[in-house]
Amino acid sequence: MAIKTSELNARLFGKADKRRATTAQEAQKAASEKAAVIELSVAGEATVEFELVRVASADVVSRTSVFAENAREQSFLNELALSDILVTLKDRGQQYPAVGRWLEGNKIEVLDGSRRRMSCILANQDFLVYVAKGINSKHAKFLSDVANAHKPLSLFERGKEMQTMLDRGDVLDQKELAKVCQCSEALVSGALKAAALPLPLLQAYPSVGELGRPTIVKLHRLFFSLTDEEQAAFLAKLDESPVWQTVDATGVSRITREVTLILDQWCDALKPKAAKPEAPSTELVKGRATYRRKGDSLAINLKKMNEEDAAAILEFIQSRLA
């Protein structure tokens, strides 16, 4: 069987199989075949050479980190949130390498593949990542943003990006945000509400990406209906342990519903109970007897009662009600 010169060189001299990828499809094919070196056009401005690196499972945490401007919230990445890739990764290992850049000390900053990175950590698997030198911050942000197309961002993560755009003055209001982000104003409103929620509240759920706008709106209403002191007590309770891990249910959807019910009950318990208004009292004998009537209930208050009168009245009540 004929062998390609590049493959022969690789076997004889350890030379890398190099691919030049000019389209997303070519890059994906090269990644799936785990070419030792690929050349990618980044943001249409420069062609960068990426080297395939295998990080041992024991070194993934210490040797790699995630790009600080990555829109994906890393604290949301748990076993259930990553269940869509964890099963395959445990059985067959990592199918598509991540993308990163070299840092000082032979360390790697992951630009594309934070979910794959955490999955390798949880599954105790080696981590495959294409790494390049000379990636500036602009190109790093481009690679990170493009990567998020693989798995849609949660409403919280989208809301954080939208809030940043508002804070920077990139857009004037939510209406303009909807145009720029090519989504409805209702979605923008829901995303901004999600971004306003504290992280511990969202971390109570197994997969924040599964939280839809109705749930986010409800959580926003519940949390911000509390006073500052009540909010502090609520967050302190959330710090005890992840709520989703205490739920006796299976499946992300069922656990999510149960967590929402629990949080609703916690909020209700923190709010002071409103005192029920008592029915007005009516004076029967001035200074001696008053009564309150509510529905079929009757409450009588008697004062200055001697033993004989008290006994007679009690006997009368007993004779009427027995």
Side-chain angles (χ1 to χ4, degrees), residues 55-81:
V55 181
S57 60
D59 300 329
V60 178
V61 173
S62 61
R63 195 180 171 195
T64 70
S65 59
V66 177
F67 181 48
E69 294 183 49
N70 190 312
R72 202 174 297 284
E73 174 56 49
Q74 298 303 299
S75 65
F76 294 160
L77 302 182
N78 56 52
E79 294 89 341
L80 286 182

Side-chain angles (χ1 to χ4, degrees), residues 89-152:
L89 191 141
K90 286 178 179 177
D91 290 342
R92 294 183 286 172
Q94 186 181 344
Q95 299 301 298
Y96 292 92
V99 175
R101 63 177 177 177
W102 288 111
L103 299 177
E104 292 183 5
N106 202 34
K107 295 195 174 183
I108 299 168
E109 185 174 55
V110 177
L111 308 174
D112 167 10
S114 65
R115 298 181 80 245
R116 280 164 281 175
R117 172 184 178 272
M118 182 55 70
S119 295
C120 286
I121 292 171
L122 294 173
N124 196 30
Q125 294 274 0
D126 290 352
F127 179 49
L128 298 176
V129 54
Y130 280 114
V131 194
K133 296 178 181 178
I135 300 288
N136 60 37
S137 297
K138 177 184 176 183
H139 289 168
K141 179 62 175 167
F142 171 82
L143 288 169
S144 179
D145 289 345
V146 169
N148 289 329
H150 302 321
K151 176 75 173 179

Side-chain angles (χ1 to χ4, degrees), residues 66-273:
V66 177
F67 181 48
E69 294 183 49
N70 190 312
R72 202 174 297 284
E73 174 56 49
Q74 298 303 299
S75 65
F76 294 160
L77 302 182
N78 56 52
E79 294 89 341
L80 286 182
L82 296 168
S83 59
D84 57 319
I85 59 176
L86 259 178
V87 174
T88 302
L89 191 141
K90 286 178 179 177
D91 290 342
R92 294 183 286 172
Q94 186 181 344
Q95 299 301 298
Y96 292 92
V99 175
R101 63 177 177 177
W102 288 111
L103 299 177
E104 292 183 5
N106 202 34
K107 295 195 174 183
I108 299 168
E109 185 174 55
V110 177
L111 308 174
D112 167 10
S114 65
R115 298 181 80 245
R116 280 164 281 175
R117 172 184 178 272
M118 182 55 70
S119 295
C120 286
I121 292 171
L122 294 173
N124 196 30
Q125 294 274 0
D126 290 352
F127 179 49
L128 298 176
V129 54
Y130 280 114
V131 194
K133 296 178 181 178
I135 300 288
N136 60 37
S137 297
K138 177 184 176 183
H139 289 168
K141 179 62 175 167
F142 171 82
L143 288 169
S144 179
D145 289 345
V146 169
N148 289 329
H150 302 321
K151 176 75 173 179
L153 296 173
S154 66
L155 271 178
F156 172 84
E157 291 158 340
R158 294 186 70 179
K160 282 292 186 184
E161 290 193 320
M162 291 176 181
Q163 189 61 58
T164 299
M165 293 171 69
L166 284 170
D167 294 342
R168 282 198 308 247
D170 297 344
V171 290
L172 294 175
D173 51 27
Q174 292 188 25
K175 188 172 184 179
E176 191 174 346
L177 253 180
K179 290 181 181 179
V180 172
C181 297
Q182 298 182 335
C183 61
S184 67
E185 290 184 50
L187 191 146
V188 169
S189 175
L192 292 175
K193 280 184 169 64
L197 293 171
L199 271 179
L201 173 54
L202 295 169
Q203 289 164 349
Y205 287 89
S207 178
V208 178
E210 302 297 322
L211 297 182
R213 192 164 57 86
T215 302
I216 289 294
V217 171
K218 179 175 183 177
L219 291 175
H220 189 274
R221 176 178 53 79
L222 287 175
F223 184 74
F224 288 102
S225 69
L226 302 174
T227 65
D228 290 345
E229 289 183 358
E230 291 165 354
Q231 287 179 2
F234 183 72
L235 293 175
K237 195 170 180 64
L238 285 169
D239 282 341
E240 294 174 5
S241 63
V243 180
W244 67 270
Q245 293 182 356
T246 68
V247 174
D248 185 17
T250 56
V252 173
S253 297
R254 285 192 61 189
I255 295 174
T256 297
R257 286 196 296 271
E258 290 296 321
V259 170
T260 301
L261 288 173
I262 291 171
L263 297 180
D264 196 355
Q265 292 168 1
W266 285 4
C267 284
D268 281 345
L270 286 170
K271 294 177 182 177
K273 303 300 179 188

Side-chain angles (χ1 to χ4, degrees), residues 308-319:
E308 184 180 350
D309 290 340
I313 291 171
L314 291 173
E315 184 180 352
F316 173 75
I317 291 175
Q318 187 175 22
S319 66

Side-chain angles (χ1 to χ4, degrees), residues 293-310:
R293 182 67 188 262
K294 185 177 181 180
D296 59 357
S297 297
L298 176 65
I300 302 174
N301 184 24
L302 303 175
K303 298 179 181 179
K304 301 176 183 178
M305 298 294 297
N306 57 40
E307 290 295 331
E308 184 180 350
D309 290 340

